[in-house]
Amino acid sequence: MGIHVYNTLTRKEEPLELISPGKVSIYVCGPTVYDDPHLGHARPAVVFDVITRYLKAQGHAVTYVRNLTDIDDKIIEKARQQNRDFKTLGGHYANRYHEAMRRLNVAAPDAEPKATDHILHMRDFISKLIQRDHAYQSRGNVYFAVESFKNYGRLSRRTVPSISSNFSVEQGKRHPADFALWKEAKPEEPSWASPWGSGRPGWHIECSAMSSRLLGENYDIHGGGADLVFPHHENEIAQSESLFGKTPANYWMHNGLVYIAGEKMSKSLGNALNLHGLLEIHRPEALRLFLLTKHYRHPMEVTHPALHEASARLSKLYRFLFRSAWSDAESGELGINRGALWTRFCNAMGKDFNFPMALSVLFEGIRQVNLVSGNSRDAVGADPACRAISLVSDIFFICRDVLGIAPEPSMDAWPYETETKLSDGKLQTATFRRAS
Ligand SMILES: [Zn+2]
């Protein structure tokens, strides 16, 4: 079934045409590991997890790479404040991120390159850019010369002002928009040897070097948060296209950011926006469901009622699945030979992965089964209408294989209702009480 994808590069929805039919290569910018993950980290992780699962259910072989930035100003600064080694600090927060991803049932990517494991490739990349006059050395720094790349600004739709005498150019740069590929080490900073003296790579070159190393010079999809369009992805394109003569990725997909509604809510949610904090209060599947309620490209506001609503929808879904005698075998193996509900679900997903539309197909299916079966467990299996069985099978499959929100088959019942307690508008606790 055809899939249309909104491509930030062209600002259009385009049919997804793969470089090798049946194979999809995806690179998504991962976190900079200097703090605990928050809901803003969970959104791209869950969005691209569901997209990857869906492409696999469609029979595609997917190669998914999501990096870790483990060297950066913020990591160095925090390590200095805490008097810790930057590697120990980065390792700690990488573990915290992975732990949250595991709890959220986000599948591990096929490769998760760490920037510090690829310094050699970054140096090599930078050397080649200098040889081709796309970069220049200035003291111990190396800058990319934006005026050497005629397509600069294409992704973010920005124009590069030409140099005039009015510009105050940061010392050592030829043009104010030039960005660092290699940064000279300051005293006591972690550093690596290079032809330009000891230093470390800039953030943008990390992703260009790692993506080309792992997925090649040209791959299918590059993803990340909308805040990465400029400068990060604009600069990635400038670097990679200058070296390889082609755009690194054919489709650029950006998820909207997560906002907290108003200052008051910001205070009351406080640390609860921390993923580990949220996971103390909400079931991980409810957070996944919440993150899928908006189109992935749209900004998203976190509110108590919205999180509450997601928990309630999950309860409804799980009550249905258990009433329908959830069994792993029943839901079938692949996305082939599926029923009409699956077709409708695919229609929604084919429209630039329209999650809200896909979810409404799912819940409409539940409503239909409930109508046919008169809400009784036995009737689902016993009903002569194969339609209900086919619907239930599709619903199981979608929940487990695509949305990643199915209960464990070993859970023999979903015995709880979620109740979130608020006090003075502040989120206190959530209790799971036994449903009657
Ligand atoms: Zn990146």
Side-chain angles (χ1 to χ4, degrees), residues 256-300:
L257 304 183
V258 180
Y259 295 97
I260 308 163
E263 182 60 23
K264 195 169 173 238
M265 183 55 88
S266 153
K267 277 187 187 148
S268 69
L269 273 173
N271 200 37
L273 265 191
N274 175 311
L275 259 184
H276 289 282
L278 280 172
L279 285 164
E280 295 296 310
I281 297 165
H282 297 278
R283 279 193 68 90
E285 302 96 314
L287 289 187
R288 279 184 81 99
L289 205 54
F290 167 72
L291 290 168
L292 299 175
T293 51
K294 271 260 189 262
H295 193 292
Y296 78 88
R297 283 197 284 117
H298 297 172
M300 178 160 212

mmCIF file of all heavy atoms in Angstrom, residues 256-300:
data_model
loop_
_atom_site.group_PDB
_atom_site.id
_atom_site.type_symbol
_atom_site.label_atom_id
_atom_site.label_comp_id
_atom_site.label_asym_id
_atom_site.label_seq_id
_atom_site.Cartn_x
_atom_site.Cartn_y
_atom_site.Cartn_z
ATOM 1 N N GLY A 256 6.833 17.491 15.611
ATOM 2 C CA GLY A 256 6.564 18.713 16.364
ATOM 3 C C GLY A 256 7.084 18.592 17.789
ATOM 4 O O GLY A 256 7.338 17.493 18.286
ATOM 5 N N LEU A 257 7.229 19.735 18.440
ATOM 6 C CA LEU A 257 7.780 19.742 19.794
ATOM 7 C C LEU A 257 6.674 19.575 20.840
ATOM 8 O O LEU A 257 5.499 19.725 20.533
ATOM 9 C CB LEU A 257 8.546 21.043 20.032
ATOM 10 C CG LEU A 257 9.650 21.323 19.012
ATOM 11 C CD1 LEU A 257 10.395 22.590 19.372
ATOM 12 C CD2 LEU A 257 10.627 20.146 18.911
ATOM 13 N N VAL A 258 7.087 19.240 22.051
ATOM 14 C CA VAL A 258 6.147 19.055 23.154
ATOM 15 C C VAL A 258 6.208 20.288 24.058
ATOM 16 O O VAL A 258 7.300 20.705 24.442
ATOM 17 C CB VAL A 258 6.512 17.792 23.969
ATOM 18 C CG1 VAL A 258 5.532 17.597 25.119
ATOM 19 C CG2 VAL A 258 6.552 16.557 23.081
ATOM 20 N N TYR A 259 5.051 20.865 24.315
ATOM 21 C CA TYR A 259 4.992 22.055 25.157
ATOM 22 C C TYR A 259 4.203 21.770 26.422
ATOM 23 O O TYR A 259 3.347 20.897 26.443
ATOM 24 C CB TYR A 259 4.312 23.211 24.416
ATOM 25 C CG TYR A 259 5.090 23.682 23.221
ATOM 26 C CD1 TYR A 259 4.773 23.225 21.938
ATOM 27 C CD2 TYR A 259 6.150 24.553 23.378
ATOM 28 C CE1 TYR A 259 5.504 23.650 20.839
ATOM 29 C CE2 TYR A 259 6.889 24.980 22.280
ATOM 30 C CZ TYR A 259 6.559 24.520 21.011
ATOM 31 O OH TYR A 259 7.282 24.931 19.932
ATOM 32 N N ILE A 260 4.508 22.550 27.440
ATOM 33 C CA ILE A 260 3.708 22.478 28.658
ATOM 34 C C ILE A 260 2.742 23.643 28.605
ATOM 35 O O ILE A 260 3.125 24.756 28.261
ATOM 36 C CB ILE A 260 4.590 22.618 29.911
ATOM 37 C CG1 ILE A 260 5.730 21.623 29.835
ATOM 38 C CG2 ILE A 260 3.768 22.416 31.163
ATOM 39 C CD1 ILE A 260 6.854 21.943 30.770
ATOM 40 N N ALA A 261 1.490 23.373 28.919
ATOM 41 C CA ALA A 261 0.472 24.412 28.781
ATOM 42 C C ALA A 261 0.614 25.443 29.884
ATOM 43 O O ALA A 261 0.294 25.193 31.035
ATOM 44 C CB ALA A 261 -0.915 23.786 28.830
ATOM 45 N N GLY A 262 1.096 26.593 29.533
ATOM 46 C CA GLY A 262 1.108 27.723 30.458
ATOM 47 C C GLY A 262 2.106 27.588 31.587
ATOM 48 O O GLY A 262 2.588 26.508 31.904
ATOM 49 N N GLU A 263 2.384 28.683 32.192
ATOM 50 C CA GLU A 263 3.384 28.732 33.271
ATOM 51 C C GLU A 263 2.922 27.929 34.486
ATOM 52 O O GLU A 263 3.688 27.222 35.095
ATOM 53 C CB GLU A 263 3.634 30.197 33.647
ATOM 54 C CG GLU A 263 4.679 30.410 34.712
ATOM 55 C CD GLU A 263 6.029 29.858 34.297
ATOM 56 O OE1 GLU A 263 6.279 29.718 33.076
ATOM 57 O OE2 GLU A 263 6.825 29.544 35.192
ATOM 58 N N LYS A 264 1.604 28.035 34.779
ATOM 59 C CA LYS A 264 1.076 27.355 35.956
ATOM 60 C C LYS A 264 1.266 25.845 35.825
ATOM 61 O O LYS A 264 1.750 25.184 36.744
ATOM 62 C CB LYS A 264 -0.402 27.684 36.128
ATOM 63 C CG LYS A 264 -0.922 27.320 37.486
ATOM 64 C CD LYS A 264 -2.305 27.883 37.721
ATOM 65 C CE LYS A 264 -2.845 27.345 39.027
ATOM 66 N NZ LYS A 264 -4.097 26.638 38.875
ATOM 67 N N MET A 265 0.883 25.367 34.668
ATOM 68 C CA MET A 265 1.023 23.943 34.427
ATOM 69 C C MET A 265 2.496 23.547 34.482
ATOM 70 O O MET A 265 2.848 22.490 34.986
ATOM 71 C CB MET A 265 0.439 23.604 33.057
ATOM 72 C CG MET A 265 0.451 22.129 32.710
ATOM 73 S SD MET A 265 -0.376 21.150 33.954
ATOM 74 C CE MET A 265 -2.052 21.227 33.350
ATOM 75 N N SER A 266 3.330 24.430 33.973
ATOM 76 C CA SER A 266 4.750 24.157 33.976
ATOM 77 C C SER A 266 5.235 23.922 35.401
ATOM 78 O O SER A 266 5.966 22.983 35.683
ATOM 79 C CB SER A 266 5.493 25.347 33.351
ATOM 80 O OG SER A 266 6.782 25.425 33.868
ATOM 81 N N LYS A 267 4.775 24.781 36.312
ATOM 82 C CA LYS A 267 5.199 24.619 37.702
ATOM 83 C C LYS A 267 4.616 23.369 38.325
ATOM 84 O O LYS A 267 5.276 22.643 39.044
ATOM 85 C CB LYS A 267 4.755 25.844 38.515
ATOM 86 C CG LYS A 267 5.719 27.004 38.378
ATOM 87 C CD LYS A 267 5.346 28.121 39.319
ATOM 88 C CE LYS A 267 6.217 29.341 39.051
ATOM 89 N NZ LYS A 267 5.514 30.580 39.309
ATOM 90 N N SER A 268 3.333 23.143 38.028
ATOM 91 C CA SER A 268 2.696 22.015 38.692
ATOM 92 C C SER A 268 3.223 20.683 38.158
ATOM 93 O O SER A 268 3.343 19.729 38.902
ATOM 94 C CB SER A 268 1.184 22.091 38.533
ATOM 95 O OG SER A 268 0.837 21.861 37.189
ATOM 96 N N LEU A 269 3.549 20.657 36.875
ATOM 97 C CA LEU A 269 4.099 19.397 36.353
ATOM 98 C C LEU A 269 5.519 19.201 36.858
ATOM 99 O O LEU A 269 5.927 18.109 37.175
ATOM 100 C CB LEU A 269 4.089 19.390 34.823
ATOM 101 C CG LEU A 269 2.796 18.911 34.166
ATOM 102 C CD1 LEU A 269 2.869 19.116 32.682
ATOM 103 C CD2 LEU A 269 2.525 17.452 34.463
ATOM 104 N N GLY A 270 6.225 20.324 36.938
ATOM 105 C CA GLY A 270 7.578 20.303 37.476
ATOM 106 C C GLY A 270 8.392 19.165 36.934
ATOM 107 O O GLY A 270 8.489 18.952 35.732
ATOM 108 N N ASN A 271 8.906 18.412 37.856
ATOM 109 C CA ASN A 271 9.814 17.341 37.504
ATOM 110 C C ASN A 271 9.094 16.166 36.853
ATOM 111 O O ASN A 271 9.718 15.258 36.326
ATOM 112 C CB ASN A 271 10.553 16.887 38.759
ATOM 113 C CG ASN A 271 11.817 16.156 38.413
ATOM 114 O OD1 ASN A 271 12.480 16.515 37.460
ATOM 115 N ND2 ASN A 271 12.125 15.114 39.162
ATOM 116 N N ALA A 272 7.756 16.206 36.893
ATOM 117 C CA ALA A 272 7.002 15.083 36.342
ATOM 118 C C ALA A 272 7.170 14.985 34.835
ATOM 119 O O ALA A 272 6.879 13.964 34.239
ATOM 120 C CB ALA A 272 5.533 15.204 36.694
ATOM 121 N N LEU A 273 7.636 16.067 34.193
ATOM 122 C CA LEU A 273 7.888 15.979 32.755
ATOM 123 C C LEU A 273 9.100 15.109 32.472
ATOM 124 O O LEU A 273 9.293 14.650 31.363
ATOM 125 C CB LEU A 273 8.116 17.364 32.157
ATOM 126 C CG LEU A 273 6.884 18.017 31.564
ATOM 127 C CD1 LEU A 273 7.263 19.239 30.774
ATOM 128 C CD2 LEU A 273 6.120 17.046 30.676
ATOM 129 N N ASN A 274 9.918 14.930 33.499
ATOM 130 C CA ASN A 274 11.001 13.964 33.425
ATOM 131 C C ASN A 274 10.360 12.606 33.121
ATOM 132 O O ASN A 274 9.399 12.201 33.766
ATOM 133 C CB ASN A 274 11.696 13.962 34.793
ATOM 134 C CG ASN A 274 12.775 12.915 34.914
ATOM 135 O OD1 ASN A 274 12.558 11.760 34.591
ATOM 136 N ND2 ASN A 274 13.913 13.335 35.400
ATOM 137 N N LEU A 275 10.892 11.915 32.128
ATOM 138 C CA LEU A 275 10.255 10.660 31.705
ATOM 139 C C LEU A 275 10.148 9.648 32.830
ATOM 140 O O LEU A 275 9.122 8.991 32.986
ATOM 141 C CB LEU A 275 11.061 10.038 30.563
ATOM 142 C CG LEU A 275 10.534 10.221 29.152
ATOM 143 C CD1 LEU A 275 11.409 9.452 28.180
ATOM 144 C CD2 LEU A 275 9.090 9.751 29.039
ATOM 145 N N HIS A 276 11.222 9.556 33.617
ATOM 146 C CA HIS A 276 11.175 8.586 34.713
ATOM 147 C C HIS A 276 10.101 8.972 35.723
ATOM 148 O O HIS A 276 9.422 8.115 36.276
ATOM 149 C CB HIS A 276 12.550 8.458 35.367
ATOM 150 C CG HIS A 276 13.536 7.761 34.484
ATOM 151 N ND1 HIS A 276 13.557 6.401 34.323
ATOM 152 C CD2 HIS A 276 14.517 8.248 33.682
ATOM 153 C CE1 HIS A 276 14.516 6.065 33.465
ATOM 154 N NE2 HIS A 276 15.112 7.173 33.059
ATOM 155 N N GLY A 277 9.950 10.296 35.933
ATOM 156 C CA GLY A 277 8.896 10.781 36.825
ATOM 157 C C GLY A 277 7.525 10.455 36.275
ATOM 158 O O GLY A 277 6.648 9.966 36.999
ATOM 159 N N LEU A 278 7.333 10.703 34.968
ATOM 160 C CA LEU A 278 6.033 10.421 34.348
ATOM 161 C C LEU A 278 5.707 8.939 34.392
ATOM 162 O O LEU A 278 4.557 8.538 34.565
ATOM 163 C CB LEU A 278 6.036 10.893 32.889
ATOM 164 C CG LEU A 278 5.809 12.382 32.641
ATOM 165 C CD1 LEU A 278 6.036 12.705 31.170
ATOM 166 C CD2 LEU A 278 4.402 12.794 33.065
ATOM 167 N N LEU A 279 6.754 8.120 34.251
ATOM 168 C CA LEU A 279 6.535 6.668 34.234
ATOM 169 C C LEU A 279 6.219 6.121 35.629
ATOM 170 O O LEU A 279 5.769 4.986 35.767
ATOM 171 C CB LEU A 279 7.753 5.955 33.630
ATOM 172 C CG LEU A 279 7.870 6.085 32.098
ATOM 173 C CD1 LEU A 279 9.259 5.702 31.613
ATOM 174 C CD2 LEU A 279 6.813 5.243 31.395
ATOM 175 N N GLU A 280 6.454 6.947 36.651
ATOM 176 C CA GLU A 280 6.028 6.551 37.999
ATOM 177 C C GLU A 280 4.517 6.694 38.116
ATOM 178 O O GLU A 280 3.883 6.049 38.935
ATOM 179 C CB GLU A 280 6.662 7.467 39.059
ATOM 180 C CG GLU A 280 8.177 7.381 39.165
ATOM 181 C CD GLU A 280 8.615 6.003 39.606
ATOM 182 O OE1 GLU A 280 8.055 5.521 40.610
ATOM 183 O OE2 GLU A 280 9.485 5.421 38.937
ATOM 184 N N ILE A 281 3.956 7.604 37.315
ATOM 185 C CA ILE A 281 2.553 7.974 37.456
ATOM 186 C C ILE A 281 1.676 7.298 36.407
ATOM 187 O O ILE A 281 0.568 6.871 36.689
ATOM 188 C CB ILE A 281 2.415 9.508 37.355
ATOM 189 C CG1 ILE A 281 3.176 10.175 38.516
ATOM 190 C CG2 ILE A 281 0.955 9.936 37.384
ATOM 191 C CD1 ILE A 281 3.402 11.647 38.329
ATOM 192 N N HIS A 282 2.203 7.229 35.191
ATOM 193 C CA HIS A 282 1.392 6.692 34.095
ATOM 194 C C HIS A 282 1.989 5.392 33.573
ATOM 195 O O HIS A 282 3.209 5.229 33.561
ATOM 196 C CB HIS A 282 1.331 7.693 32.936
ATOM 197 C CG HIS A 282 0.671 8.978 33.315
ATOM 198 N ND1 HIS A 282 -0.684 9.139 33.338
ATOM 199 C CD2 HIS A 282 1.200 10.164 33.715
ATOM 200 C CE1 HIS A 282 -0.981 10.371 33.723
ATOM 201 N NE2 HIS A 282 0.143 11.015 33.966
ATOM 202 N N ARG A 283 1.106 4.531 33.114
ATOM 203 C CA ARG A 283 1.594 3.331 32.436
ATOM 204 C C ARG A 283 2.322 3.756 31.169
ATOM 205 O O ARG A 283 1.874 4.669 30.479
ATOM 206 C CB ARG A 283 0.430 2.407 32.056
ATOM 207 C CG ARG A 283 -0.059 1.536 33.192
ATOM 208 C CD ARG A 283 -0.980 0.457 32.654
ATOM 209 N NE ARG A 283 -0.250 -0.506 31.843
ATOM 210 C CZ ARG A 283 0.303 -1.607 32.332
ATOM 211 N NH1 ARG A 283 0.205 -1.887 33.608
ATOM 212 N NH2 ARG A 283 0.950 -2.444 31.536
ATOM 213 N N PRO A 284 3.442 3.084 30.838
ATOM 214 C CA PRO A 284 4.184 3.470 29.636
ATOM 215 C C PRO A 284 3.330 3.436 28.371
ATOM 216 O O PRO A 284 3.466 4.295 27.505
ATOM 217 C CB PRO A 284 5.311 2.438 29.552
ATOM 218 C CG PRO A 284 5.179 1.529 30.706
ATOM 219 C CD PRO A 284 4.102 2.023 31.595
ATOM 220 N N GLU A 285 2.406 2.461 28.294
ATOM 221 C CA GLU A 285 1.548 2.376 27.101
ATOM 222 C C GLU A 285 0.637 3.595 26.994
ATOM 223 O O GLU A 285 0.289 4.013 25.889
ATOM 224 C CB GLU A 285 0.685 1.104 27.136
ATOM 225 C CG GLU A 285 1.448 -0.195 27.230
ATOM 226 C CD GLU A 285 1.556 -0.660 28.678
ATOM 227 O OE1 GLU A 285 1.878 0.174 29.557
ATOM 228 O OE2 GLU A 285 1.306 -1.849 28.925
ATOM 229 N N ALA A 286 0.258 4.159 28.154
ATOM 230 C CA ALA A 286 -0.597 5.353 28.127
ATOM 231 C C ALA A 286 0.201 6.540 27.581
ATOM 232 O O ALA A 286 -0.337 7.359 26.837
ATOM 233 C CB ALA A 286 -1.137 5.660 29.523
ATOM 234 N N LEU A 287 1.480 6.626 27.947
ATOM 235 C CA LEU A 287 2.318 7.706 27.407
ATOM 236 C C LEU A 287 2.501 7.535 25.903
ATOM 237 O O LEU A 287 2.466 8.510 25.149
ATOM 238 C CB LEU A 287 3.686 7.734 28.096
ATOM 239 C CG LEU A 287 3.710 8.214 29.547
ATOM 240 C CD1 LEU A 287 5.152 8.345 30.029
ATOM 241 C CD2 LEU A 287 2.996 9.541 29.701
ATOM 242 N N ARG A 288 2.703 6.295 25.459
ATOM 243 C CA ARG A 288 2.804 6.051 24.006
ATOM 244 C C ARG A 288 1.525 6.509 23.312
ATOM 245 O O ARG A 288 1.572 7.204 22.305
ATOM 246 C CB ARG A 288 3.007 4.549 23.713
ATOM 247 C CG ARG A 288 4.417 4.049 23.873
ATOM 248 C CD ARG A 288 4.498 2.573 23.466
ATOM 249 N NE ARG A 288 4.589 2.402 22.019
ATOM 250 C CZ ARG A 288 5.717 2.189 21.347
ATOM 251 N NH1 ARG A 288 6.866 2.110 21.989
ATOM 252 N NH2 ARG A 288 5.720 2.040 20.041
ATOM 253 N N LEU A 289 0.394 6.093 23.890
ATOM 254 C CA LEU A 289 -0.891 6.445 23.294
ATOM 255 C C LEU A 289 -1.061 7.963 23.259
ATOM 256 O O LEU A 289 -1.498 8.532 22.257
ATOM 257 C CB LEU A 289 -2.018 5.793 24.112
ATOM 258 C CG LEU A 289 -3.334 5.513 23.415
ATOM 259 C CD1 LEU A 289 -3.142 4.707 22.150
ATOM 260 C CD2 LEU A 289 -4.275 4.776 24.358
ATOM 261 N N PHE A 290 -0.689 8.626 24.350
ATOM 262 C CA PHE A 290 -0.769 10.096 24.410
ATOM 263 C C PHE A 290 0.052 10.721 23.276
ATOM 264 O O PHE A 290 -0.415 11.622 22.579
ATOM 265 C CB PHE A 290 -0.264 10.590 25.771
ATOM 266 C CG PHE A 290 -0.013 12.079 25.799
ATOM 267 C CD1 PHE A 290 -1.083 12.971 25.799
ATOM 268 C CD2 PHE A 290 1.276 12.592 25.807
ATOM 269 C CE1 PHE A 290 -0.862 14.348 25.811
ATOM 270 C CE2 PHE A 290 1.505 13.962 25.807
ATOM 271 C CZ PHE A 290 0.434 14.840 25.804
ATOM 272 N N LEU A 291 1.260 10.225 23.064
ATOM 273 C CA LEU A 291 2.150 10.805 22.048
ATOM 274 C C LEU A 291 1.634 10.558 20.630
ATOM 275 O O LEU A 291 2.079 11.196 19.685
ATOM 276 C CB LEU A 291 3.566 10.256 22.207
ATOM 277 C CG LEU A 291 4.301 10.737 23.459
ATOM 278 C CD1 LEU A 291 5.569 9.929 23.699
ATOM 279 C CD2 LEU A 291 4.628 12.228 23.372
ATOM 280 N N LEU A 292 0.701 9.607 20.491
ATOM 281 C CA LEU A 292 0.153 9.312 19.165
ATOM 282 C C LEU A 292 -1.176 10.028 18.900
ATOM 283 O O LEU A 292 -1.750 9.890 17.829
ATOM 284 C CB LEU A 292 -0.034 7.801 18.994
ATOM 285 C CG LEU A 292 1.253 6.963 19.096
ATOM 286 C CD1 LEU A 292 0.924 5.480 19.041
ATOM 287 C CD2 LEU A 292 2.237 7.330 17.989
ATOM 288 N N THR A 293 -1.647 10.788 19.888
ATOM 289 C CA THR A 293 -2.956 11.417 19.709
ATOM 290 C C THR A 293 -2.904 12.624 18.778
ATOM 291 O O THR A 293 -3.930 13.065 18.277
ATOM 292 C CB THR A 293 -3.568 11.875 21.056
ATOM 293 O OG1 THR A 293 -2.585 12.638 21.741
ATOM 294 C CG2 THR A 293 -4.001 10.698 21.887
ATOM 295 N N LYS A 294 -1.733 13.184 18.585
ATOM 296 C CA LYS A 294 -1.586 14.317 17.668
ATOM 297 C C LYS A 294 -0.821 13.861 16.427
ATOM 298 O O LYS A 294 -0.019 12.920 16.497
ATOM 299 C CB LYS A 294 -0.759 15.412 18.349
ATOM 300 C CG LYS A 294 -1.574 16.395 19.145
ATOM 301 C CD LYS A 294 -1.802 17.668 18.353
ATOM 302 C CE LYS A 294 -2.425 18.748 19.193
ATOM 303 N NZ LYS A 294 -3.806 18.931 19.112
ATOM 304 N N HIS A 295 -1.070 14.552 15.317
ATOM 305 C CA HIS A 295 -0.258 14.261 14.140
ATOM 306 C C HIS A 295 1.207 14.515 14.497
ATOM 307 O O HIS A 295 1.508 15.502 15.164
ATOM 308 C CB HIS A 295 -0.684 15.137 12.964
ATOM 309 C CG HIS A 295 -0.102 14.664 11.668
ATOM 310 N ND1 HIS A 295 1.251 14.740 11.395
ATOM 311 C CD2 HIS A 295 -0.664 14.068 10.593
ATOM 312 C CE1 HIS A 295 1.470 14.221 10.194
ATOM 313 N NE2 HIS A 295 0.332 13.801 9.689
ATOM 314 N N TYR A 296 2.092 13.640 14.055
ATOM 315 C CA TYR A 296 3.483 13.734 14.529
ATOM 316 C C TYR A 296 4.148 15.066 14.175
ATOM 317 O O TYR A 296 5.075 15.503 14.847
ATOM 318 C CB TYR A 296 4.326 12.560 13.990
ATOM 319 C CG TYR A 296 4.759 12.698 12.543
ATOM 320 C CD1 TYR A 296 5.940 13.366 12.206
ATOM 321 C CD2 TYR A 296 3.984 12.168 11.505
ATOM 322 C CE1 TYR A 296 6.323 13.507 10.877
ATOM 323 C CE2 TYR A 296 4.359 12.317 10.187
ATOM 324 C CZ TYR A 296 5.530 12.978 9.880
ATOM 325 O OH TYR A 296 5.911 13.135 8.572
ATOM 326 N N ARG A 297 3.648 15.736 13.134
ATOM 327 C CA ARG A 297 4.298 16.992 12.730
ATOM 328 C C ARG A 297 3.826 18.188 13.556
ATOM 329 O O ARG A 297 4.443 19.233 13.524
ATOM 330 C CB ARG A 297 4.027 17.267 11.249
ATOM 331 C CG ARG A 297 4.878 16.436 10.325
ATOM 332 C CD ARG A 297 4.888 16.992 8.930
ATOM 333 N NE ARG A 297 3.672 16.719 8.197
ATOM 334 C CZ ARG A 297 2.844 17.667 7.747
ATOM 335 N NH1 ARG A 297 3.088 18.935 7.987
ATOM 336 N NH2 ARG A 297 1.769 17.330 7.069
ATOM 337 N N HIS A 298 2.710 18.019 14.251
ATOM 338 C CA HIS A 298 2.135 19.158 14.970
ATOM 339 C C HIS A 298 2.742 19.300 16.360
ATOM 340 O O HIS A 298 3.085 18.304 16.988
ATOM 341 C CB HIS A 298 0.614 19.000 15.091
ATOM 342 C CG HIS A 298 -0.065 18.983 13.759
ATOM 343 N ND1 HIS A 298 -1.386 18.687 13.606
ATOM 344 C CD2 HIS A 298 0.410 19.218 12.506
ATOM 345 C CE1 HIS A 298 -1.713 18.743 12.316
ATOM 346 N NE2 HIS A 298 -0.626 19.055 11.639
ATOM 347 N N PRO A 299 2.811 20.554 16.841
ATOM 348 C CA PRO A 299 3.251 20.719 18.226
ATOM 349 C C PRO A 299 2.218 20.105 19.166
ATOM 350 O O PRO A 299 1.052 19.933 18.795
ATOM 351 C CB PRO A 299 3.333 22.236 18.404
ATOM 352 C CG PRO A 299 2.696 22.844 17.223
ATOM 353 C CD PRO A 299 2.540 21.816 16.157
ATOM 354 N N MET A 300 2.638 19.793 20.357
ATOM 355 C CA MET A 300 1.765 19.050 21.260
ATOM 356 C C MET A 300 1.867 19.645 22.656
ATOM 357 O O MET A 300 2.969 19.895 23.153
ATOM 358 C CB MET A 300 2.303 17.618 21.238
ATOM 359 C CG MET A 300 1.635 16.663 22.099
ATOM 360 S SD MET A 300 2.010 15.004 21.511
ATOM 361 C CE MET A 300 0.470 14.256 21.995
#
